[in-house]
Amino acid sequence: MLLAARPVGLPRPTDWKLLEVPVGEPDEGEFLVQVRYLSLDPAMRGWMNEGRSYIRPVEIGEVMRAGAVGRVISSRHPGFAVGDHVSGAFGVQEYCVSDGRDVTIVDPALAPLPVYLGTLGMTGITAYFGLLDVGRPQPGQTVVVSAAAGAVGSVVGQIAKLLGCRVIGIAGGEHKCRLVVDEFGFDAAIDYRSEDVQKALRQHAPDGVDVYFDNVGGDILDAVLTRLARGARIVICGAISQYNNTEPVKGPSNYMSLLVNRASMTGMVVFDYADRYSEAVAKLAEWLAAGQLRSMEDVFPGGVSAFPETLLRLFRGENRGKLVLQVADE
Amino acid sequence: MLLAARPVGLPRPTDWKLLEVPVGEPDEGEFLVQVRYLSLDPAMRGWMNEGRSYIRPVEIGEVMRAGAVGRVISSRHPGFAVGDHVSGAFGVQEYCVSDGRDVTIVDPALAPLPVYLGTLGMTGITAYFGLLDVGRPQPGQTVVVSAAAGAVGSVVGQIAKLLGCRVIGIAGGEHKCRLVVDEFGFDAAIDYRSEDVQKALRQHAPDGVDVYFDNVGGDILDAVLTRLARGARIVICGAISQYNNTEPVKGPSNYMSLLVNRASMTGMVVFDYADRYSEAVAKLAEWLAAGQLRSMEDVFPGGVSAFPETLLRLFRGENRGKLVLQVADE
């Protein structure tokens, strides 16, 4: 699936082009992967835009970038054997020739393959370092997470609970809020569609918010800013509410609360932790194995051709946990 | 001078009330100060608003809060003798009875009294800790300061130069920009009134901005956000462009640059450093004495009754360095 045009607002079908080409042959030092599952992420919307960001944009006519898991079906690489299951940025396509760079071998006996795109993949690692390294919550402190039923948010909240924090999730709709409390074990959930977030925070976080892990930006960020505790840390992980804006981004009007509360707002990009990924994955896998962490994947069928429509589920807030597209049968 | 009403927008004459009352008599453990100079600060505008902030608001009918220096003219306090020069929050009035809390004895032989309100007072201390503790610039890095000809900004930039940084000041008007370069020794100045700040930063800070010390907020903060270097630190010290807003504060639309650049934005309030004030003052005094730091005070005559009008000079950007109101002859 190629990016055919730079979207304005929500990506439309005409922004994509499906191309059928012969499957590539691996050269010496390469191997061929059959892609099984694709990771669908809000950040993809940013990669479709032109201009300087934390990663280069996907070019027009280029295969859309995507994290994926698959199986090696032929190999001329000493480190990867036929039958190995692998995780890497294989893109929105059915087959990918890889030289093994930034590719990890994963074990489907330890966890189902889609988990390697979520809790044991980039979103889980993002949650781990974003919370622990940037948010730095202390036991007993109050942690608030937006997009709390999503792939990153659900893991952030569960780690915060494991640390002994009071954890409040913000999510859209009654069903997701129930999920956040009942499945992910948060102390409370706020439904931003039906509740006044600022008022609800006053109730659920009476002593203020020590750590806010933000995936959404916009009005919710502004509401949380009004309820910061002294010395609060805001982790800027994403701003899904703003990604499809055709108007300028809404900046946080209440940012002077950072001064009043001696608080900080810090951006994080998971790639900076590349040399510590294994540390996060080991810990996350340990928690998963011990039943202390619940991983949720929302797997949709349909293959590569269903990618454009499935991606939109993220921006409509329809996914629960990690949104995954199945490309081939296991 | 009492606060008579909560201003909407710029403070008007009717927001103040001048009251003449008999001078108080110090009780046991107190002393009487004749106020010589008053410190006029942008933060005063915030103190006039109702609602939670980093310090309680000045109440309607209360003497307006102000830092001041003066002379002890009668004393029943063992630590303060008649003739001592003192610095403290004596308020916008000619005489003040004090119990000595948060009052410092200053030496007019070391520096003129107004300097104790500026470079050796709260604004100098704010510059010192805001830059060193929150901004943490390294030699060779690029530091940008807004309100660069003001009391805080001029000291921030000079300290950054002493540390071996490349320093760019943003100020309003040609005269101030000349001051910033010629008197305060910055490497460059950007006149936000006549220049495109973003474009000028591209020229003067081609490798990006490592530390931005923000006193103004608004469009200038947004412009600097577009030019951050990886890992940049933004110090939120003030937002004078927004203090007299009658519309909601303009939040920084480009805040997602914090994510792209793994940057942080942190609020600071000088009061948090109370137990380290003496460290800052000692260092600032040493630099002053060595001629490495230029202190500039803009002293206006007129006494307490001139306070309302003189304060407005700050919001019209008319002051150079520290704005001081003279209340009594030395």
Side-chain angles (χ1 to χ4, degrees):
Chain A
M1 181 70 64
L2 312 182
L3 182 63
R6 303 229 173 264
V8 177
L10 274 177
R12 288 171 308 169
T14 50
D15 296 328
W16 304 104
K17 186 177 174 188
L18 189 58
L19 198 69
E20 292 206 41
V21 293
V23 172
E25 284 288 321
D27 273 338
E28 193 52 41
E30 295 182 335
F31 55 92
L32 180 66
V33 178
Q34 183 185 21
V35 172
R36 293 279 165 88
Y37 295 100
L38 288 176
S39 173
L40 273 57
D41 297 276
M44 286 174 151
R45 181 61 189 83
W47 305 341
M48 299 165 75
N49 292 335
E50 214 168 356
R52 178 171 168 264
S53 186
Y54 64 95
I55 193 171
R56 68 166 187 79
V58 176
E59 296 302 330
I60 303 292
E62 189 183 357
V63 173
M64 179 62 192
R65 181 187 296 134
V69 285
R71 205 171 135 268
V72 177
I73 56 172
S74 77
S75 179
R76 298 175 65 187
H77 189 297
F80 297 87
V82 170
D84 279 353
H85 288 87
V86 285
S87 167
F90 303 130
V92 182
Q93 52 188 350
E94 293 177 349
Y95 297 90
C96 178
V97 172
S98 170
D99 62 4
R101 247 193 314 168
D102 300 328
V103 173
T104 319
I105 296 179
V106 301
D107 183 355
L110 277 182
L113 286 180
V115 175
Y116 289 101
L117 297 177
T119 305
L120 296 180
M122 282 302 156
T123 49
I125 300 172
T126 299
Y128 185 89
F129 289 114
L131 181 69
L132 299 182
D133 207 69
V134 186
R136 303 183 307 281
Q138 300 300 312
Q141 290 195 325
T142 298
V143 174
V144 173
V145 190
S146 56
V152 174
S154 62
V155 177
V156 167
Q158 291 182 86
I159 299 176
K161 280 301 296 177
L162 287 169
L163 293 177
C165 297
R166 174 169 173 73
V167 183
I168 299 151
I170 303 176
E174 206 189 317
H175 176 70
K176 280 194 194 169
C177 283
R178 258 206 316 270
L179 208 66
V180 161
V181 173
D182 296 346
E183 294 291 323
F184 298 126
F186 288 40
D187 295 293
I190 298 170
D191 177 1
Y192 72 84
R193 291 194 183 148
S194 69
E195 292 182 75
D196 176 330
V197 175
Q198 197 174 335
K199 222 164 113 183
L201 282 172
R202 207 172 298 140
Q203 182 198 330
H204 294 301
D207 300 328
V209 176
D210 297 293
V211 176
Y212 173 48
F213 194 106
D214 190 28
N215 295 303
V216 302
D219 291 334
I220 293 177
L221 171 56
D222 249 337
V224 181
L225 275 164
T226 67
R227 302 296 309 157
L228 297 184
R230 179 73 75 91
R233 286 83 63 199
I234 297 181
V235 184
I236 301 293
C237 177
I240 197 173
S241 73
Q242 306 295 308
Y243 290 166
N244 292 292
N245 272 4
T246 49
E247 286 163 26
V249 164
K250 189 193 171 307
S253 310
N254 298 323
Y255 84 102
M256 283 299 283
S257 168
L258 297 177
L259 184 145
V260 171
N261 296 297
R262 294 78 158 166
S264 65
M265 187 147 98
T266 305
M268 77 88 57
V269 174
V270 67
F271 304 149
D272 295 346
Y273 296 92
D275 57 352
R276 292 173 62 196
Y277 284 175
S278 56
E279 167 196 335
V281 171
K283 198 71 197 164
L284 290 160
E286 183 191 316
W287 283 326
L288 270 181
Q292 296 179 289
L293 191 59
R294 167 96 161 80
S295 183
M296 190 173 285
E297 303 80 38
D298 212 354
V299 181
F300 284 84
V304 163
S305 63
F307 171 77
E309 177 52 30
T310 311
L311 181 66
L312 294 179
R313 291 182 172 271
L314 286 171
F315 303 116
R316 291 195 296 251
E318 291 173 357
N319 59 303
R320 314 278 176 267
K322 177 72 194 179
L323 183 64
V324 171
L325 180 64
Q326 185 166 5
V327 173
D329 292 339
E330 288 200 34
Chain B
M1 181 70 63
L2 312 183
L3 181 63
R6 304 230 173 262
V8 177
L10 275 177
R12 289 171 307 170
T14 50
D15 296 328
W16 304 105
K17 187 175 172 187
L18 189 58
L19 198 71
E20 292 206 40
V21 293
V23 173
E25 284 288 321
D27 272 339
E28 194 53 42
E30 295 181 335
F31 55 92
L32 180 66
V33 178
Q34 184 186 22
V35 172
R36 292 278 165 88
Y37 296 100
L38 288 177
S39 173
L40 273 55
D41 297 276
M44 286 174 151
R45 181 62 189 80
W47 306 341
M48 298 166 75
N49 292 336
E50 215 168 354
R52 179 170 168 262
S53 185
Y54 64 94
I55 192 172
R56 68 167 186 78
V58 176
E59 297 301 331
I60 303 291
E62 189 183 356
V63 174
M64 179 62 192
R65 182 188 296 135
V69 285
R71 205 172 135 268
V72 176
I73 55 171
S74 77
S75 178
R76 298 175 64 189
H77 189 299
F80 297 87
V82 170
D84 280 351
H85 288 86
V86 286
S87 168
F90 302 131
V92 183
Q93 53 189 348
E94 294 177 345
Y95 297 90
C96 177
V97 173
S98 168
D99 62 6
R101 250 193 313 170
D102 300 326
V103 173
T104 319
I105 296 178
V106 300
D107 182 355
L110 277 183
L113 286 180
V115 176
Y116 289 102
L117 297 178
T119 305
L120 296 179
M122 282 302 154
T123 49
I125 300 171
T126 298
Y128 184 90
F129 289 113
L131 182 69
L132 299 182
D133 207 69
V134 186
R136 301 183 308 279
Q138 300 299 313
Q141 290 194 325
T142 298
V143 174
V144 173
V145 190
S146 57
V152 174
S154 60
V155 176
V156 166
Q158 291 181 86
I159 298 176
K161 281 301 296 177
L162 288 168
L163 294 176
C165 298
R166 173 168 175 75
V167 184
I168 298 150
I170 304 175
E174 206 189 314
H175 176 71
K176 279 192 194 171
C177 283
R178 259 206 315 272
L179 208 66
V180 161
V181 174
D182 297 346
E183 294 291 323
F184 298 126
F186 288 41
D187 295 293
I190 298 170
D191 178 1
Y192 72 86
R193 290 194 184 149
S194 69
E195 292 182 75
D196 176 330
V197 175
Q198 198 174 333
K199 222 164 111 183
L201 281 172
R202 207 172 298 142
Q203 182 197 331
H204 293 301
D207 300 327
V209 176
D210 297 294
V211 175
Y212 174 47
F213 195 107
D214 190 27
N215 295 304
V216 304
D219 292 333
I220 293 177
L221 171 56
D222 251 336
V224 180
L225 275 164
T226 67
R227 302 297 309 157
L228 296 185
R230 180 73 76 89
R233 285 83 63 200
I234 298 181
V235 184
I236 300 292
C237 178
I240 195 172
S241 74
Q242 306 296 309
Y243 291 167
N244 292 293
N245 273 5
T246 49
E247 284 162 27
V249 165
K250 186 190 175 311
S253 310
N254 298 323
Y255 85 102
M256 283 299 283
S257 168
L258 297 177
L259 184 145
V260 171
N261 297 297
R262 295 73 160 171
S264 65
M265 186 148 98
T266 306
M268 75 89 56
V269 174
V270 68
F271 304 149
D272 295 347
Y273 296 91
D275 57 353
R276 293 173 61 196
Y277 283 174
S278 56
E279 167 195 335
V281 171
K283 198 73 197 162
L284 291 160
E286 184 190 317
W287 284 326
L288 270 180
Q292 295 178 287
L293 191 60
R294 167 98 162 79
S295 182
M296 191 174 285
E297 303 81 36
D298 213 355
V299 181
F300 285 82
V304 163
S305 63
F307 171 77
E309 178 52 30
T310 311
L311 181 65
L312 294 180
R313 291 181 171 272
L314 286 171
F315 303 114
R316 291 194 296 250
E318 292 173 357
N319 57 302
R320 313 280 176 268
K322 177 71 194 179
L323 183 64
V324 172
L325 180 63
Q326 184 165 7
V327 173
D329 293 337
E330 290 202 31

